[in-house]
Amino acid sequence: MLTRGTDLGTVADRLGWVAATAVVALGALVAGLLGRRAVAAGAIALVLAAGTAVAAAFPTDVALTGPHGNARWQPTTVASQSYDLSSGTARLDLAALTPQQATGTLTSHVGAGELRIVVPDDLTVRVRAQVGAGQISSGWPGDPWEVDDGGLGRTRTVTVGTGTPTLTVDARVGLGVITIERTTR
């Protein structure tokens, strides 16, 4: 019932879980009305109901296949690059970019875990952060918000640095934390 085993969050997957649970529950109901015991059907319905609850609660951005572990991404150019990690801890370090190179859009995605974005003090970067379930935080003096209280469907757009941003980072985490840091060169 899972689409290529990649996630539990698509609408089709959720409807599949609901349909399977409904069919087994209907079978147990019919068996009961006919005076028969439906122990096996009841047990299967409980397992399917649990699967349905998990699929319904799971954020849609959590991929279960692909690279796992720790990743450190240090782009030296911005050619609309994309970085992906299924689960683990990722660090997107922009220190290798000069202000002249920092033009365009970088996309980074972590299914489950932490994404840390490090912005050097001589760059102005717009970070569009989105977390399916979790928290978005930033930490440098003068930041208007330091820690998001967390929850479901969190989004933040923040400009790191002064001036007009020439680089945009689209950051997504399905389940976990996005942390935005400022550093000196």
Side-chain angles (χ1 to χ4, degrees):
M1 222 172 274
L2 297 177
T3 308
R4 284 177 263 129
T6 57
D7 66 51
L8 293 173
T10 66
V11 172
D13 291 338
R14 292 176 185 186
L15 289 176
W17 282 103
V18 169
T21 304
V23 166
V24 173
L26 183 62
L29 178 65
V30 169
L33 291 175
L34 295 174
R36 299 182 182 202
R37 294 183 59 182
V39 175
I44 292 170
L46 285 175
V47 170
L48 288 173
T52 303
V54 169
F58 221 61
T60 58
D61 277 354
V62 180
L64 300 177
T65 60
H68 302 278
N70 296 324
R72 184 178 178 117
W73 303 315
Q74 293 179 290
T76 55
T77 62
V78 179
S80 297
Q81 295 186 43
S82 180
Y83 301 97
D84 292 295
L85 184 67
S86 290
S87 65
T89 301
R91 179 181 175 98
L92 178 60
D93 190 345
L94 304 176
L97 293 173
T98 65
Q100 294 77 24
Q101 294 170 320
T103 302
T105 301
L106 291 173
T107 301
S108 55
H109 175 257
V110 174
E114 179 184 7
L115 173 58
R116 187 171 297 272
I117 302 165
V118 181
V119 180
D121 57 1
D122 63 343
L123 295 183
T124 301
V125 178
R126 175 181 295 114
V127 178
R128 293 188 293 224
Q130 178 182 12
V131 175
Q135 181 179 28
I136 302 168
S137 66
S138 59
W140 64 87
D143 181 29
W145 52 272
E146 291 185 11
V147 178
D148 176 51
D149 58 352
L152 298 175
R154 310 306 287 179
T155 58
R156 295 271 194 223
T157 299
V158 63
T159 299
V160 183
T162 58
T164 303
T166 57
L167 176 63
T168 299
V169 175
D170 286 327
R172 290 182 303 128
V173 170
L175 178 66
V177 177
I178 294 177
T179 302
I180 306 162
E181 294 179 355
R182 193 94 165 125
T183 187
T184 57
R185 285 200 197 252

